[in-house]
Amino acid sequence: MSNRFQQLMQVGQSLWYDNIQRSLIKNGMLKRMIEEGEIRGITSNPTIFNLAISKSQDYDSAIAPMAWADWSAEQIFYQLAVEDIQSAADLFLPLYEKSDRADGYVSLEVSPYLARDAQATVREALELWKRVDRPNLMIKIPATREGLEAIRESIAQGINVNVTLIFSLERYREVIEAYLSGLDQRVNAGLPVDRIASVASFFVSRVDTKVDALLEKLIAEGNLTEEEACSLMGKTAIANAKLAYQIFKETFNSSRFKRLAEKGARVQRPLWASTSTKNPRYRDVLYVEELIGPLTVNTVPPQTLDAFRDHGNVSLTLEEGVEEAKSHLAHLEHLGISMSMVTAQLEEEGVKAFADSFSTLLQTLTQRKEEFNSSLGPLARAVSQRVKVFEETQFIVRFHRHDPFLWSSIPEEQEEIRKRMGWLEAPQTSRALVSAIEQFAQEVVEAGFTHAVLLGMGGSSLAPEVLRQVLGVGKIGEHPALDLLILDSTDPAQVLAVESWSPVERTLYIVSSKSGTTIEITAFMEYFWKKAVDRFGSEAGAHFIAITDPGTKLEKIAKERNFRKVFLADPTVGGRNSALTAFGLVPAGLLGINLEEFLSRAEQISRECRPQIPAGRNPGLVLGAILGESALTGRDKVTLLTDALWQPLGAWLEQLIAESSGKRGKGIVPVDLEPLYPADVYGADRLFVYLRSTGEKDDFVNQLVQGNHPVVVITTNDPMDLAGEFYRWEVATAVACSVIGVNSFDQPDVQDNKDRSVKKIQNFHETGVLEQEKPVWEKYGVQVFSTSPIDGLSLKEVVMRFLQNATQGDYIAINAYLPRTPEMQTVLGKLRTWIQQLTGLPTTLGFGPRFLHSTGQLHKGGANNGLFLQITADSQTDVEIPGMNLTFGQLERAQALGDYESLVARGRRVIRIHLGKTPPEILDF
């Protein structure tokens, strides 16, 4: 603690902060100021909130869902204000308790529009008191004539009151009387008074500003010399305050108050407000240094706090020069400057200024609301209506109770839903994993590991991949953390590339499988297990860990092979919702990510999604309403736009949305990494979501909005907010699935693909041949397979004829069983662009078998609005899978054939282009 702040506290004065802003709370600055003893409370008013909201984007993420829910500007303001006040009050709570409730208060003002309405003020004070629900809250009530009755009644109701806008000594006496009368009323009713606190905010600098102007006027009129006027300037406010302090001492030493004090009543401390120096000729800490005394509070704005920290002086000044103060005010009266008139004008101006600030604030919020609503375009009304229905039906309460009827009326599905809702509490329950993960991470870096290869598919691999790409590689203690690479492809070239990247002696292999029986993961494990056994023999297990559900086959194998560690995951969480469980957190810990902070970011969003939060303020719920209503109106292609930071998140979102929603002939199609086109090219089946950090796509988004395309913008530039985005989208996707009428937590069509692939492998083991139909077109070493005849002189013509089957509302999916290398992505990206330009339809690109665990469910179970262009090739180099009598190339081909047949069985429009040994550049049309 700075010596100045310590000295101030020792003489009995508390310094409060006349400022509040969300960024101060989120970035830890407010907490630091409290812990370092600089401030002991906070005051706020409409002007402060207006500056905080209008001059920053701190509040945009909170305003957006309320705007989309069609809340009024005043509703939005009070929600924002209550959230800030609650957060600040929570930070001050330890000080409140440590000081025995003397300090640690946070003030929130009633509407300035109510300054002349006592009963309305009391009603709002009670409403805010209940809504904020913090013992260290103070409700600010203006000391107008009407406000006095509201002050008395609020005190009698047990509310802490900060009486504001006090200028005159006479009004100050009336304020004290209102406080004491409220206490008397409680005592007479047999109610306690020991937990009621109040301060009387005496405004200071405005008095000097007003009086100095009158002195200047007297000089101009020739009724006062400049010398005499200068001797009076800058002294009235302090004189007024010093005499107010004398009133305070007199009243609270009276026998009347002593009787109340015996019941536990506290003094109503004077609070010096408006303490920034308005006149640059005056010392910038004038209204702090000259008003220091016991049992007082001084609330200072940021610039005054900074000045006092730098060069403020502390001494007991408040009781010095009291007689001079009386003489000063008498001299002013003699000059014709009536303090009663001055203070009356100041009160009137103060009420008007706060009301004007409040009006400006509401205008700002109205403008922000209109901006957000315009971005939803044609969806705005449907979304706001849906949110109202959510509120009326207590949707989010039922959601958190794991009510399966929100998704299905089928008993078997309901039972499964109840088992798959543990992710809702993951930000809290997963904290139990942190210590073990951090200890293990320290163990492996000390053992010399530098690389980690995660062997997984779908939910077990996509979140770790995003973590690595967004958050990078940090440190574990003094050591560099492990670098992480994901293997989720059975393509032999991909397997060999991972092997080349990872030195076996320094690599930790993470076998990550919820079921413990996924064929691809088993193949990966056996391949790298043999490499480790060949190198380390019986010590191979020290290079492996497993992440799986309790009781799986993988857990058994891991124990038999003496894996270094087995992390058991939460069985109540499905794979695609597992980012905040062991499946995401173990890799995150090995990357050196601060897990406590990471989970805290998820918890911040989870708190905003609780049942206690109004539906219109719930970011996950409102986003889900948008996704669902968009799909119902035919805008079922969610097109992801991202700034560079958030680009990797698209792959995770693709799986979450597609696999959750794509069933029963319905579904939401996520479109990730699609090249940008002019806004007028896009059809009416699009909803755009812009994951924004730097704003590099702002101009393009504006063009979309002007073209009446709905756009949702989510802005955050902190990579650690990835945890919050995981949670937001998990909630939103589950909500959207409820809206469109599907079970978010099953994947009924995935098994068919698996069964067909297994059957292909069984037939291969029996016959030595992977069965496939005859091609319908063959040239240049390329074969095309289809259930319908297709002709053409070239492959380009063949593809063009296939694409002629497309109609408005369709999408084109390129499903490539090829290595997912940058070079291949470039080739297929060009193909994607060509298709989009040819058809004007949305396009997706997936690499197999990775996409089978992502968009595969949507392809088979969703609406029949997809055209599927499957691409396969012969492996340049194949790799044997130990113990499976199969190569990776053969497994990949079996999966591709199973995928193709499954699509055909469901009547999908599909062709398979088998390149053989032909370079993929042949697809560059």
Side-chain angles (χ1 to χ4, degrees), residues 382-435:
V383 169
S384 65
Q385 290 300 315
R386 175 66 65 175
V387 176
K388 286 184 176 69
V389 170
F390 283 159
E391 189 74 66
E392 292 166 0
T393 59
Q394 293 191 305
F395 179 95
I396 200 64
V397 174
R398 296 174 61 196
F399 191 91
H400 278 267
R401 288 177 180 167
H402 306 178
D403 183 348
F405 283 95
L406 295 175
W407 296 279
S408 177
S409 59
I410 301 171
E412 294 79 11
E413 289 189 6
Q414 290 183 342
E415 184 178 353
E416 181 68 16
I417 290 167
R418 290 189 184 98
K419 297 176 182 177
R420 289 289 178 260
M421 294 292 287
W423 58 271
L424 268 176
E425 292 79 37
Q428 295 79 30
T429 57
S430 289
R431 288 188 182 277
L433 302 172
V434 171
S435 178

Side-chain angles (χ1 to χ4, degrees), residues 427 431 595-605 607 723:
R431 288 188 182 277
L595 298 183
E596 287 287 358
E597 176 62 21
F598 190 69
L599 287 172
S600 292
R601 299 301 180 90
E603 196 165 6
Q604 287 175 16
I605 291 289
R607 284 196 296 267

Side-chain angles (χ1 to χ4, degrees), residues 764-805:
F764 171 75
H765 285 153
E766 293 170 4
T767 66
V769 177
L770 281 169
E771 293 181 353
Q772 61 182 28
E773 61 192 33
K774 292 183 179 181
V776 296
W777 184 92
E778 188 169 5
K779 196 175 288 188
Y780 314 120
V782 176
Q783 296 174 319
V784 175
F785 298 83
S786 174
T787 56
S788 303
I790 295 181
D791 58 3
L793 296 177
S794 66
L795 181 59
K796 179 179 179 179
E797 281 190 31
V798 169
V799 174
M800 289 176 67
R801 297 202 177 200
F802 170 68
L803 294 176
Q804 288 173 357
N805 294 309

Side-chain angles (χ1 to χ4, degrees), residues 690-701:
Y690 179 23
L691 304 177
R692 182 180 181 276
S693 59
T694 60
E696 58 204 61
K697 291 185 174 65
D698 283 351
D699 289 344
F700 179 68
V701 166

